[in-house]
């Protein structure tokens, strides 16, 4: 792994000091929850044996492992992320799986000098919404793709289309007040929730054959109490809790109310919760 400076220091700090370590601690739960999104992404991207793949925001390596299996020993995967703690776990998982065709890099994909016209596919699961300058970032990614190379990514749709976020956020906001004002479309989980905005970015960044559409998916949640705990750590409600820093008593109140709300979600055969969600699936080709 290497390390590259980034123009987006706030996100670098967040994913190395706050969100990245939290994700590592909850990796098994979070990856289980997001497995259906991986299925959607891999189905859309259709990585082929022998291909070279660039994965943006590879995190703890769950998608990286599947990409490595898809391209096989004759292909290659370069997983890039700004979070050193997440990549440390990814490196361990790849080593345990013997996935020597997958390499990892601590870098900001917005500015890293990737080898030009090298990759057949660039792919990301929730890793592209955090760029300080998304047009510059996607131009950089396009330059790394071979002509006609494919781009496929999943981003979150709006909070109103994701009740697993909307409901706990409403509870947190009622107790903690609104978050600090932020510029529209600031880097963050919901930055790419507007399909037209995403299309305009990709068109300005040397992509064509662009499609961006919401897709409904059911996430695999845990029990109500565990989901409530996660909601105080991740997503819009987790960000608000991180900002407001409530005391232990108020945190307990938040968890109790969130758990009661999650208990009303449908249950899965294994006793977990079926969490309805919506992602924005995007695909394009380099001109």
């Amino acid at each position: 792994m290497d390390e590259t400076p980034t123009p987006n220091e706030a996100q670098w700090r967040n994913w190395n000091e706050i969100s990245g370590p939290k994700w590592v601690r909850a990796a098994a739960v979070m990856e289980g929850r997001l497995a259906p999104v991986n299925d959607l992404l891999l189905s859309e991207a259709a990585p082929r044996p022998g291909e070279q793949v660039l994965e943006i925001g590879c995190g703890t390596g769950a998608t990286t492992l599947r990409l490595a299996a898809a391209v096989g020993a004759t292909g290659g995967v370069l997983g890039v992320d700004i979070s050193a703690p997440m990549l440390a776990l990814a490196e361990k998982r790849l080593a345990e799986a013997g996935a020597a065709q997958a390499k990892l890099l601590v870098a900001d994909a917005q500015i890293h000098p990737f080898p030009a016209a090298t990759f057949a596919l660039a792919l990301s699961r929730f890793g592209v919404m955090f760029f300080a300058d998304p047009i510059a970032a996607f131009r950089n990614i396009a330059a790394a793709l071979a002509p006609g190379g494919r781009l496929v990514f999943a981003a979150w749709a709006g909070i109103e289309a994701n009740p697993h976020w909307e409901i706990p956020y409403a509870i947190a906001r009622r107790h903690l007040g609104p978050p600090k004002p932020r510029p529209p479309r600031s880097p963050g989980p919901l930055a790419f929730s507007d399909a037209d905005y995403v299309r305009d970015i990709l068109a300005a960044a040397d992509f064509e054959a662009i499609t961006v559409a919401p897709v409904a998916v059911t996430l695999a949640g845990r029990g109500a109490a565990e989901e409530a705990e996660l909601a105080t750590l991740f997503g819009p409600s987790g960000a608000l809790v991180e900002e407001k820093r409530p005391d232990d008593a108020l945190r307990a109140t938040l968890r109790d109310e969130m758990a009661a709300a999650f208990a009303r979600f449908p249950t899965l055969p294994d006793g977990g919760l079926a969490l309805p969600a919506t992602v924005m699936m995007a695909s394009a080709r380099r001109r």
Side-chain angles (χ1 to χ4, degrees):
M1 294 189 292
D2 193 7
E3 186 165 347
T4 303
T6 171
N8 199 347
E9 291 189 10
Q11 290 298 325
W12 188 284
R13 195 161 50 249
N14 175 55
W15 286 101
N16 280 280
E17 299 175 7
I18 302 170
S19 295
K22 285 196 293 188
W23 188 285
V24 168
R25 290 193 294 270
V29 175
M30 297 301 288
E31 293 301 349
R33 170 200 288 256
L34 295 176
V37 181
N38 278 358
D39 294 341
L40 275 174
L41 193 61
L42 272 293
S43 176
E44 177 69 25
R48 303 173 190 125
E51 285 190 322
Q52 295 295 317
V53 179
L54 174 63
E55 185 185 3
I56 309 300
C58 64
T60 56
T63 312
T64 317
L65 282 167
R66 293 188 60 178
L67 289 169
V71 302
T74 60
V77 180
L78 177 61
V80 178
D81 205 294
I82 62 174
S83 176
M86 296 178 79
L87 283 190
L89 178 55
E91 190 168 50
K92 180 174 181 288
R93 297 173 71 179
L94 292 172
E96 289 173 350
Q101 68 271 44
K103 308 299 181 186
L104 300 173
L105 179 69
V106 179
D108 184 347
Q110 178 174 317
I111 59 169
H112 183 76
F114 297 111
T118 296
F119 299 95
L121 169 66
L123 175 144
S124 180
R125 188 200 69 188
F126 303 137
V128 295
M129 305 93 70
F130 302 97
F131 293 129
D133 185 339
I135 293 176
F138 280 108
R139 281 180 177 155
N140 194 45
I141 293 166
L145 286 170
R150 313 182 315 277
L151 170 70
V152 179
F153 64 82
W156 287 109
I159 191 170
E160 70 285 348
N162 285 286
H164 71 288
W165 276 357
E166 183 180 33
I167 292 171
Y169 179 68
I171 292 169
R173 183 170 175 139
R174 187 171 67 249
H175 286 281
L176 303 177
K180 295 175 185 176
R182 301 178 69 216
R185 294 168 178 156
S186 295
L190 300 173
F192 279 14
S193 58
D194 182 331
D196 289 336
Y197 173 64
V198 176
R199 288 188 198 99
D200 289 345
I201 288 170
L202 296 180
D206 302 320
F207 286 97
E208 61 185 3
I210 299 164
T211 63
V212 185
V215 178
V217 61
T218 300
L219 305 183
R222 297 295 183 99
E226 190 166 2
E227 287 301 319
E229 177 66 28
L230 291 172
T232 66
L233 298 173
F234 298 103
S237 55
L240 188 58
V241 169
E242 180 69 31
E243 177 187 320
K244 301 293 186 179
R245 299 298 181 99
D247 60 25
D248 290 346
L250 186 47
R251 282 177 180 267
T253 297
L254 293 174
R255 287 194 297 268
D256 288 347
E257 292 192 17
M258 290 176 183
F262 277 116
R264 295 191 285 271
F265 280 69
T267 56
L268 296 168
D270 65 0
L273 300 178
L275 305 177
T278 305
V279 299
M280 304 300 292
M281 290 296 301
S283 65
R285 290 186 178 274
R286 179 192 166 179
R287 290 195 184 101

